Amino acid sequence: MRQLQKIRQYQRLYQHYGAEPKPTTIAEVAEVALCSERHARTLLRQLAQSGWLSWNAQPGRGHRALLHCLATTSELSAPLMHACLEKGDYQSALQLADGDPASLHHIITPFLGGKWLKHQPTLRIPWYRPLTSLHPALQRRRAEQHIICAVHAGLTRYAPGQPQPLPDLAHHWDASDDKRCWHFYLRSGAHWHNGQPISDGDILFALQQMLTDPARNAGLKHVQRVSLVAPWYLEITLDTPDAMLAHRLAHHVCRLPHPQQPDIGAGPFAIAHHHSHYLRLERQPWYFAAHPLLHAIEFWRTRTEAQKPAWITVGKGQNAQEAATSTSGGFAWLMMNANLPQPQAIWLRQAIQTINQQKFSHRNDLETRTEILPDLNTPRSPAIPDVPLPKTLTLVCYHTPELRELSDTLRTHLKKQGCELIIAWKDRDEWHAPEALEKADLLLGDYLAGELPGFALAEWFTDEPAWATALGAKVWNEEKQKLMAYCESEESLDRNLAPFFRHLLESGACTPLFHYRYRINTMENVQDIVLTAGGWLDFTRAWLPSGQERTTSAS
């Protein structure tokens, strides 16, 4: 865009010379504007004709001219930013803002929410951080997990409000009576996002990639063999009975990207653009199931990490009447090293529970009364007097605002007791690195719930490395085997799950602290907002009324 280049060059001049008249030369202007001296003369003439600057040249070689920038960069760039955003060109608008999304915030607000762009319904969502890799193996963050499920298909999938997994790349399936042999009848005629047909060999190879990836196979260690026993007929053989295999395969880590091109999937939306400040998903024309009504979903980074909002807003502002809300089945939790002396562990647990209640009981985006399963609440520790503490304790903590606030308050509290708390902040990828948690005395983390609460809790126990610190690696492996044995039938898992976790809570191995309350603020033009268990709207069900419908309803 010629106008964009012109403004970018003026921005360089303004940054270098400022708003006051300055003596300079053509050579210096060319150096600042990153162009040749010949083009610098043309540029100065064009900018002077536009009224952006004045250029008073002196006759004679070597004489310095007087350059005066007459307009601020914001005065010039704001109208062009508006034009770029109107067309959906977020990248050009961001360039005009010098790569700073926060400076775009006041300009970008009217363009958010549901919009018809070139006669196509588009949903624009403001966001506060870069959206990183969308490969299933690399993501443990809530937003990316939800987007992965929109981009990639799996053998099975979950839908909000449905306790049982639904068909996806598998058209249907069945299992032997002993739940050791499963057959998946694969969907023929499906395509990858690039239009390439999906073969049964593609699905087999993608499954084998998943099963050999330590970041994805934690709940599938009992898979003995995967094979195509006939065209489009997949057999999975297990070492132990597992009635929950179709549920396990609906997890986001079990989504199946293209075996050679991991950014390409087979889900309802394809990745059209993915940059550090901007993500655009577009409805996938080759999708084998019902097509979403939205044509595109865009994430625009308009804030920084420090400006993270309490609620997700899909629209032009807060609108409580239009807000969709839910309390997450997931929770923030405390665990302690199994080697910590018991009196110290009890005292610390009670101190942290007290701080948690004081800090968060009045916040409307958190719920401090935890119930991880129906009628399974956090037990209160018995009151005990102060106990001697060591000179130092090490806390490993997820890097979230709430847990940071809790840990900082705990550090201040322990300092008064003569104990220094050393805090190591970990993002979700660092948390799962080998030996990342071994030397921790205390651990603060959170668990993100799934669509089937009980089974999702069981999966978390299998996958969460903090349990090895809280129980000891040997005990954790024994408990995982016990939990897998309960999965011989859904009835067995339902019957044994609550007693299994009640024992863990009562022993103090894990102490739930608070649930998150999810809310999505929407404007009236975003319809059919349905929340998933992770607190996101189901992209496949949301829709926008046409311009004619909005005009009719307004009148």
Side-chain angles (χ1 to χ4, degrees):
M1 184 188 290
R2 205 171 280 178
Q3 185 76 349
L4 174 60
Q5 176 66 11
K6 186 176 168 183
I7 289 179
R8 292 296 288 159
Q9 288 179 311
Y10 179 79
Q11 285 176 326
R12 295 189 191 103
L13 295 175
Y14 188 88
Q15 185 177 10
H16 183 78
Y17 293 106
E20 299 298 323
K22 296 285 176 63
T24 187
T25 64
I26 281 289
E28 186 179 334
V29 169
E31 184 179 351
V32 172
L34 303 179
C35 63
S36 67
E37 291 187 21
R38 181 178 177 182
H39 182 72
R41 290 187 176 90
T42 303
L43 176 65
L44 288 169
R45 185 176 67 252
Q46 291 174 343
L47 297 179
Q49 289 172 351
S50 300
W52 296 3
L53 57 72
S54 66
W55 170 256
N56 295 316
Q58 299 295 323
R61 180 177 295 274
H63 286 189
R64 297 175 73 81
L66 201 63
L67 186 149
H68 186 188
C69 294
L70 302 174
T72 65
T73 56
S74 59
E75 289 172 341
L76 301 179
S77 59
L80 188 55
M81 283 184 191
H82 274 277
C84 292
L85 294 172
E86 194 70 59
K87 293 190 299 184
D89 187 0
Y90 179 81
Q91 287 301 301
S92 293
L94 190 61
Q95 286 182 46
L96 287 165
D98 287 325
D100 178 15
S103 68
L104 265 179
H105 182 68
H106 66 289
I107 296 175
I108 214 170
T109 299
F111 299 93
L112 299 173
K115 297 286 182 182
W116 285 80
L117 182 65
K118 298 179 181 178
H119 307 292
Q120 297 284 9
T122 301
L123 181 60
R124 291 166 171 160
I125 300 172
W127 203 237
Y128 66 94
R129 61 172 175 82
L131 289 161
T132 52
S133 171
L134 297 177
H135 190 281
L138 302 176
Q139 274 311 328
R140 300 181 183 275
R141 303 190 74 163
R142 186 166 62 102
E144 281 88 345
Q145 288 179 4
H146 182 66
I147 296 168
I148 284 167
C149 292
V151 170
H152 297 293
L155 286 182
T156 63
R157 64 180 174 88
Y158 279 123
Q162 298 284 341
Q164 295 298 322
L166 302 177
D168 209 21
L169 286 173
H171 182 271
H172 61 284
W173 60 87
D174 57 45
S176 61
D177 290 341
D178 65 0
K179 299 297 186 292
R180 288 175 180 263
C181 187
W182 288 72
H183 294 114
F184 292 86
Y185 301 82
L186 304 179
R187 193 184 299 274
S188 61
H191 292 74
W192 298 108
H193 290 163
N194 60 3
Q196 176 187 340
I198 300 175
S199 68
D200 51 2
D202 287 341
I203 297 175
L204 176 63
F205 190 70
L207 275 169
Q208 290 170 336
Q209 282 183 325
M210 176 189 71
L211 292 170
T212 56
D213 187 344
R216 302 172 69 194
N217 66 6
L220 297 168
K221 297 291 183 65
H222 59 316
V223 173
Q224 184 183 86
R225 185 176 64 255
V226 179
S227 60
L228 286 167
V229 293
W232 303 101
Y233 186 52
L234 185 79
E235 182 178 86
I236 299 181
T237 307
L238 308 177
D239 288 330
T240 57
D242 184 9
M244 308 303 292
L245 182 65
H247 289 271
R248 296 184 201 282
L249 294 173
H251 196 279
H252 89 275
V253 298
C254 295
R255 300 292 165 134
L256 303 176
H258 189 289
Q260 282 79 43
Q261 299 170 275
D263 286 340
I264 293 176
F269 289 93
I271 302 170
H273 301 285
H274 187 190
H275 308 288
S276 61
H277 295 85
Y278 175 69
L279 170 69
R280 178 178 168 91
L281 307 177
E282 291 182 355
R283 184 171 55 203
Q284 205 274 98
W286 299 102
Y287 186 50
F288 50 81
H291 281 210
L293 291 172
L294 291 173
H295 172 71
I297 298 161
E298 297 178 347
F299 287 81
W300 292 7
R301 189 178 175 201
T302 64
R303 296 181 174 93
T304 64
E305 289 269 6
Q307 297 169 314
K308 178 184 177 182
W311 313 110
I312 297 171
T313 298
V314 181
K316 288 185 280 190
Q318 303 292 321
N319 188 336
Q321 292 183 344
E322 296 293 330
T325 62
S326 70
T327 298
S328 171
F331 49 87
W333 47 260
L334 163 71
M335 294 189 200
M336 298 189 187
N337 195 305
N339 296 322
L340 204 64
Q342 191 67 6
Q344 289 181 5
I346 294 173
W347 187 92
L348 288 164
R349 189 179 305 116
Q350 188 178 60
I352 293 169
Q353 284 180 296
T354 301
I355 294 170
N356 175 69
Q357 193 67 22
Q358 291 171 346
K359 282 282 180 184
F360 302 137
S361 61
H362 301 298
R363 281 182 48 167
N364 60 5
D365 59 335
L366 302 176
E367 171 60 70
T368 55
R369 181 182 177 276
T370 51
E371 185 179 71
I372 68 170
L373 288 171
D375 299 322
L376 185 54
N377 295 296
T378 305
R380 293 296 297 179
S381 301
I384 63 169
D386 289 349
V387 298
L389 295 175
K391 290 184 178 181
T392 61
L393 286 169
T394 300
L395 167 66
V396 178
C397 184
Y398 271 164
H399 205 300
T400 66
E402 294 80 14
L403 294 180
R404 187 180 188 95
E405 184 177 353
L406 186 63
S407 57
D408 284 343
T409 305
L410 176 64
R411 177 161 52 190
T412 301
H413 182 69
L414 292 183
K415 190 174 183 179
K416 297 176 182 176
Q417 307 293 321
C419 176
E420 180 188 0
L421 184 65
I422 301 169
I423 304 176
W425 307 105
K426 304 285 185 184
D427 64 23
R428 295 189 187 277
D429 292 330
E430 293 170 331
W431 187 273
H432 286 261
E435 302 178 359
L437 311 180
E438 280 187 359
K439 297 180 180 179
D441 298 305
L442 308 171
L443 301 115
L444 285 174
D446 62 8
Y447 149 66
L448 305 178
E451 292 294 338
L452 188 63
F455 177 67
L457 205 59
E459 280 193 307
W460 169 62
F461 183 83
T462 300
D463 187 48
E464 174 53 65
W467 286 109
T469 304
L471 298 174
K474 180 182 178 182
V475 174
W476 184 37
N477 285 323
E478 290 171 352
E479 293 299 301
K480 283 194 287 186
Q481 292 173 12
K482 187 187 301 183
L483 201 54
M484 179 59 76
Y486 295 152
C487 291
E488 62 182 5
S489 70
E490 292 193 38
E491 295 76 17
S492 171
L493 183 63
D494 289 342
R495 184 173 62 253
N496 290 290
L497 198 63
F500 179 86
F501 276 96
R502 181 174 289 109
H503 169 72
L504 293 172
L505 299 189
E506 290 176 349
S507 70
C510 177
T511 303
L513 298 171
F514 56 80
H515 293 291
Y516 293 97
R517 288 199 185 104
Y518 296 140
R519 186 171 82 186
I520 294 182
N521 298 312
T522 66
M523 298 305 286
E524 65 278 358
N525 62 330
V526 184
Q527 306 295 317
D528 211 3
I529 295 294
V530 178
L531 287 184
T532 66
W536 274 95
L537 71 154
D538 184 345
F539 292 154
T540 65
R541 294 170 68 171
W543 58 279
L544 308 181
S546 69
Q548 183 179 1
E549 286 175 335
R550 292 200 302 274
T551 303
T552 303
S553 63
S555 59

